[in-house]
Amino acid sequence: MKSLLVEDIRKLLQGQLISGSEDWKVSDAIYYKRHDLIKKHTLMFVSRSDSVNWNEINHKGPSLVISDKPTSELKMALPNTTVIKVASLVQSYWKFIKYYRGLFTIPVVTITGTCGKTTTKDMIKHILSKDRNVQASISSKNEPRRSLPYLVGIDEKTDAAIFEHGLGNTGNIKHQCMIYQPTIGIITNIGVHHLDGCKNLQGYISAKAEIVDGIKKDGTLILNADDENTKKVPLLLFKGKIIYFGVDMRSDFRASDIKFANLGMDFMLHYKKTMYEAFIPGYGEHQVYNALAALAAVNEMGMDLKEAISRLATYENMTRHLEFSNGVGGSTIIDDTWTNNPTSVEAALKVLDSIGKGKNVILVLGDINRLGNFEKKYHCEIGSMVAKRNIHTLITIGSKAEEIAKQALRDGSEANIHIFKEVKGLKDILAPVLDSDAIILIKGPMSSRSMIDFANSLKAE
């Protein structure tokens, strides 16, 4: 965080100094109770309803408390704490955020989508980080409450920032955009997820579309030209620049001649009547789409496209994202236990269509959560997808995933189908078929520690 003088903060928020000195600087900012107080010189917003541990704050001090609590309570602060009383904590919070974000004119990229957010974010960071100081959200830790700490992670040395949007409910992306004020927004794709919070598919699309209004004036929106649900995002009121990526001929960043290669994907990139040979580590056509979005973003930030493609080739794919490993008995393990939704399951099955040719293909599929009233519908659709493929063994784990197995049976799947409530006993089924001809895809939610551990147990040491 860029250091700020306490006196300047008081004047900005038109607050009243209750106790302490204002002749010092803060170098971190949190919302009390939402974030841990771990550093000295921290500004914290304290709500009227919060129960305050003044001893803890004083111990971690010097600290700055901004609050709308009664003056009598604020005077309880200890010597190492400066307290400023404001009329409205909410208004002060947003005023501070607007001010702090306004200190920087750097490109800020935010990303949403059902799949590919974290990968695309990390690709952009990888490309830029060779010669730029980049602030980015960590892994897929993208909940709205993390937005303030991520924002104040920007300082005078930051050249660019990249954040992904978490979406659990309508309004989450709007809230985060108010904090980040992105200059570039990306929608990787819109599939099906979080229907418990967004009610239905249209509600989910509308929640994703909040990024459109959240982009700063004259900003850039990067969209998947081939994604049917993304085409439903209203764009009439967007006044900035729109860049499309995909395989559609109308795409600004277009991929052709996509091929599976050694440990990744080869493709040709078409941009402004020029063709570039490109490679991205990690299997699957969806990985090419992630790469196209990343290349479009860094090019919009002024990076030479040829150099960006060269850097992209050295990207290290994320763990548990269709991660290939040597397995027990010479088998091949595909660990895809990072996230689980219908879109990512379909992408994984498409990879198997190519990688699994001539192999003994085994699917281990877990529950898909957060589908609300559409839980059975989408699990059944996956069962139908499985039934159309040459799958030797299908194993489902969990009561929700059981619908996948039942639908595959109804659709006439020739796979050996096993239904499990939990991981226990699964190895007994797999042990006889784990050999060099076996390729096993394990797809489950990141909340399932048992499936993650099971995938690891099958990997050869």
Side-chain angles (χ1 to χ4, degrees):
M1 177 178 168
K2 175 183 173 68
S3 295
L4 300 175
L5 186 65
V6 173
E7 182 182 9
D8 292 339
I9 295 171
R10 179 186 59 76
K11 291 178 180 177
L12 170 72
L13 303 181
Q14 297 180 312
Q16 175 189 358
L17 182 66
I18 300 298
S19 64
S21 167
E22 57 182 20
D23 189 23
W24 59 282
K25 293 183 177 181
V26 294
S27 54
D28 195 20
I30 65 171
Y31 202 109
Y32 192 64
K33 297 294 186 181
R34 295 182 192 174
H35 312 115
D36 293 332
L37 174 58
I38 57 177
K39 298 179 181 178
K40 295 179 181 296
H41 303 277
T42 294
L43 177 162
M44 64 195 79
F45 293 94
V46 179
S47 171
R48 175 181 288 266
S49 61
D50 286 336
S51 175
V52 179
N53 185 335
W54 292 109
N55 286 317
E56 178 195 32
I57 292 174
N58 190 68
H59 178 71
K60 295 282 178 135
S63 301
L64 170 63
V65 168
I66 307 291
S67 183
D68 56 357
K69 282 180 172 291
T71 301
S72 59
E73 186 175 348
L74 294 178
K75 285 184 176 179
M76 294 171 62
L78 296 171
N80 217 14
T81 306
T82 295
V83 178
I84 294 174
K85 179 178 171 59
V86 293
S88 167
L89 187 71
V90 171
Q91 290 179 11
S92 296
Y93 174 75
W94 286 109
K95 192 169 188 178
F96 173 81
I97 285 174
K98 183 178 180 180
Y99 169 76
Y100 192 81
R101 174 64 181 89
L103 295 175
F104 308 96
T105 56
I106 61 172
V108 174
V109 183
T110 63
I111 307 170
T112 190
T114 303
C115 298
K117 297 184 295 295
T118 306
T119 300
T120 302
K121 176 206 67 186
D122 284 353
M123 285 181 181
I124 296 171
K125 182 180 178 181
H126 175 78
I127 294 169
L128 295 177
S129 291
K130 185 174 180 180
D131 52 14
R132 303 189 196 190
N133 189 335
V134 181
Q135 162 69 348
S137 48
I138 300 167
S139 185
S140 59
K141 297 176 180 178
N142 55 28
E143 304 93 324
R145 66 182 178 84
R146 296 180 184 271
S147 303
L148 175 61
Y150 284 148
L151 176 70
V152 298
I154 298 173
D155 61 22
E156 305 96 320
K157 297 179 181 178
T158 306
D159 298 307
I162 312 122
F163 308 114
E164 62 176 279
H165 290 298
L167 171 60
N169 297 285
T170 300
N172 286 162
I173 292 176
K174 179 181 179 180
H175 175 90
Q176 289 181 300
C177 282
M178 289 172 65
I179 294 174
Y180 296 138
Q181 299 174 47
T183 60
I184 299 173
I186 301 173
I187 302 178
T188 57
N189 50 59
I190 303 176
V192 180
H193 208 192
H194 298 293
L195 300 188
D196 55 344
C198 300
K199 307 304 181 186
N200 52 41
L201 179 57
Q202 185 52 53
Y204 182 63
I205 294 170
S206 297
K208 290 292 186 186
E210 290 172 5
I211 193 174
V212 177
D213 291 335
I215 298 170
K216 290 191 75 171
K217 184 180 178 182
D218 300 323
T220 301
L221 182 61
I222 300 175
L223 299 175
N224 185 331
D226 305 325
D227 185 67
E228 291 303 315
N229 285 334
T230 300
K231 293 175 185 177
K232 299 173 185 176
V233 171
L235 301 173
L236 287 177
L237 298 179
F238 183 69
K239 302 301 182 183
K241 178 180 180 181
I242 300 178
I243 298 173
Y244 288 97
F245 65 92
V247 299
D248 188 285
M249 290 298 293
R250 294 168 293 179
S251 301
D252 301 290
F253 283 75
R254 182 170 67 88
S256 69
D257 200 23
I258 300 172
K259 298 175 182 177
F260 281 77
N262 183 30
L263 301 179
M265 307 297 292
D266 285 330
F267 64 100
M268 296 300 299
L269 171 65
H270 304 254
Y271 178 66
K272 289 188 174 179
K273 299 181 180 181
T274 302
M275 291 175 58
Y276 304 85
E277 291 185 2
F279 170 80
I280 178 62
Y283 288 121
E285 188 174 286
H286 66 283
Q287 190 75 336
V288 175
Y289 278 83
N290 294 335
L292 291 173
L295 290 169
V298 298
N299 182 255
E300 186 66 7
M301 286 186 247
M303 174 165 282
D304 175 74
L305 201 50
K306 198 168 184 179
E307 174 64 21
I309 291 169
S310 174
R311 296 183 188 183
L312 188 64
T314 63
Y315 169 76
E316 292 186 10
N317 205 33
M318 297 181 64
T319 59
R320 295 175 29 229
H321 283 65
L322 286 172
E323 180 183 14
F324 280 65
S325 302
N326 294 323
V328 174
S331 60
T332 299
I333 308 299
I334 309 176
D335 183 349
D336 201 23
T337 56
W338 187 266
T339 190
N340 203 21
N341 57 61
T343 306
S344 64
V345 172
E346 184 175 11
L349 291 175
K350 286 180 178 179
V351 171
L352 272 185
D353 291 342
S354 295
I355 299 295
K357 287 179 181 177
K359 292 281 190 178
N360 176 11
V361 177
I362 302 165
L363 285 181
V364 181
L365 301 178
D367 289 340
I368 300 177
N369 300 317
R370 305 209 64 181
L371 292 177
N373 295 329
F374 300 88
E375 198 172 84
K376 183 174 181 179
K377 166 184 166 63
Y378 288 110
H379 281 89
C380 287
E381 286 187 5
I382 291 169
S384 295
M385 280 192 270
V386 171
K388 295 175 183 177
R389 290 172 158 85
N390 185 21
I391 306 297
H392 181 271
T393 304
L394 168 64
I395 301 170
T396 63
I397 302 173
S399 57
K400 299 172 187 176
E402 186 175 333
E403 295 296 337
I404 298 174
K406 289 179 178 178
Q407 186 64 42
L409 283 168
R410 286 192 289 266
D411 287 358
S413 172
E414 296 181 2
N416 296 316
I417 297 178
H418 305 273
I419 297 172
F420 283 78
K421 293 295 183 186
E422 55 186 25
V423 169
K424 186 178 180 182
L426 190 50
K427 275 194 174 180
D428 296 335
I429 297 292
L430 290 178
V433 294
L434 293 180
D435 56 29
S436 59
D437 288 329
I439 184 165
I440 310 167
L441 170 64
I442 304 166
K443 185 99 178 90
M446 65 171 63
S447 60
S448 177
R449 187 70 246 176
S450 61
M451 285 197 72
I452 295 169
D453 291 341
F454 174 72
N456 288 330
S457 74
L458 294 182
K459 298 172 186 177
E461 295 182 359

